[in-house]
Amino acid sequence: MEFPDLGAHCSEPSCQRLDFLPLKCDACSGIFCADHVAYAQHHCGSAYQKDIQVPVCPLCNVPVPVARGEPPDRAVGEHIDRDCRSDPAQQKRKIFTNKCERTGCRQREMMRLTCERCGRNFCIKHRHPLDHDCSGEGHPTSLAGLAAISRAQGLASTSTIPSPSRTLPSSTSPSR
């Protein structure tokens, strides 16, 4: 051979090809052929020092800062949940806006669940008057409610049907 010192073998254990134009990895300083010079191709352990990418939010096109060693997908997900200025992300945060008014409950609902007696908003768990210690009085009871009350008191007869506008005192209202 005329040039015995020309070229170098690829540092990738599975390759070991003699390359006459070898390339040096700028992260780990290994010598590689053109097929294995990329960080991913030779599984470079020092790639995190050189291969720094700043992800961009797909909704608002703003660069999202990522701490070293943190996956970019997680950082973009947290950005969308907290800081994203796009319409879909803001609408997502504003869906559950109806807070339960019972003391100690922090539940939020998508729809308003207003108590018929006191007119306050509650979650599904506290929507019934007995579940939130309802303070509202004097609101008319429905026809079905009056019929149930009268049957419970033994006053129901086939000839007398109470009018729907009649209200009963709270002491005669049945408990669940």
Side-chain angles (χ1 to χ4, degrees), residues 86-96:
S86 70
D87 287 336
Q90 288 179 347
Q91 288 174 355
K92 178 184 170 189
R93 285 192 293 270
K94 292 182 181 178
I95 288 178
F96 298 99

Side-chain angles (χ1 to χ4, degrees), residues 5-175:
D5 296 332
L6 185 66
H9 288 279
C10 181
S11 295
E12 176 65 29
S14 64
C15 180
Q16 294 293 320
R17 180 172 42 179
L18 177 63
D19 195 347
F20 293 107
L21 294 172
L23 300 167
K24 184 177 181 181
C25 176
D26 61 343
C28 66
S29 301
I31 304 292
F32 297 98
C33 64
D35 294 336
H36 295 109
V37 75
Y39 299 134
Q41 294 298 328
H42 69 271
H43 308 291
C44 186
S46 304
Y48 69 92
Q49 297 172 347
K50 298 288 183 173
D51 191 18
I52 299 172
Q53 298 177 1
V54 177
V56 176
C57 176
L59 300 175
C60 64
N61 293 327
V62 172
V64 179
V66 179
R68 265 196 206 279
E70 182 182 355
D73 293 339
R74 176 177 282 168
V76 172
E78 288 176 2
H79 163 78
I80 290 173
D81 291 341
R82 293 186 196 145
D83 306 326
C84 192
R85 301 280 185 238
S86 70
D87 287 336
Q90 288 179 347
Q91 288 174 355
K92 178 184 170 189
R93 285 192 293 270
K94 292 182 181 178
I95 288 178
F96 298 99
T97 57
N98 299 304
K99 188 175 183 295
C100 181
E101 294 183 31
R102 183 172 187 252
T103 55
C105 183
R106 299 178 67 192
Q107 183 71 28
R108 294 180 180 267
E109 296 294 333
M110 192 181 319
M111 298 174 49
R112 287 189 59 85
L113 297 170
T114 308
C115 176
E116 294 177 359
R117 291 186 180 175
C118 63
R120 293 170 42 206
N121 184 45
F122 296 99
C123 65
I124 291 176
K125 188 175 179 182
H126 302 118
R127 70 185 183 270
H128 296 295
L130 295 175
D131 293 333
H132 64 262
D133 300 325
C134 189
S135 61
E137 306 248 353
H139 289 276
T141 308
S142 66
L143 182 60
L146 288 173
I149 291 169
S150 63
R151 273 194 308 274
Q153 293 176 347
L155 301 175
S157 68
T158 57
S159 62
T160 60
I161 298 175
S163 66
S165 62
R166 184 178 136 213
T167 60
L168 294 175
S170 63
S171 63
T172 61
S173 63
S175 63

